[in-house]
Amino acid sequence: MLLSFGKVGVRYPIERITGKDSIRTHLRNLGIVEGESIVIKNAIQKNLIVEIKGIRIALDATLAQRIMVGKEIQ
């Protein structure tokens, strides 16, 4: 599922990052990599504030749609 379809406050495992190499590199530099878990803290019109590795990051809708996540982690 796309991260942009996730629920606020739920932890998801990142399964895949899609897009051009430059987009994947940018997300990787932010710490958004496969195998990490990510939490949506706030969502405003498909723009997200997420937390990963204890750091909050703002993602616009186009970047959020490049992150594929698995089922929520309990």
Side-chain angles (χ1 to χ4, degrees):
M1 139 176 109
L2 295 174
L3 180 62
S4 56
F5 292 129
K7 299 175 190 172
V8 173
V10 176
R11 182 172 301 278
Y12 296 99
I14 299 173
E15 292 188 343
R16 188 166 41 123
I17 307 294
T18 63
K20 295 181 181 180
D21 286 341
S22 60
I23 292 172
R24 291 195 319 260
T25 300
H26 176 64
L27 290 171
R28 191 176 316 117
N29 289 338
L30 292 173
I32 300 172
V33 294
E34 289 91 352
E36 287 292 333
S37 62
I38 192 166
V39 178
I40 300 172
K41 291 296 189 175
N42 199 354
I44 303 167
Q45 296 179 347
K46 305 260 183 188
N47 299 316
L48 303 177
I49 296 175
V50 299
E51 184 174 290
I52 187 164
K53 299 179 183 179
I55 299 169
R56 290 187 182 205
I57 301 169
L59 298 174
D60 68 5
T62 57
L63 286 178
Q65 290 178 344
R66 299 292 176 205
I67 302 169
M68 303 292 292
V69 296
K71 294 184 178 184
E72 63 184 75
I73 299 172
Q74 299 290 328

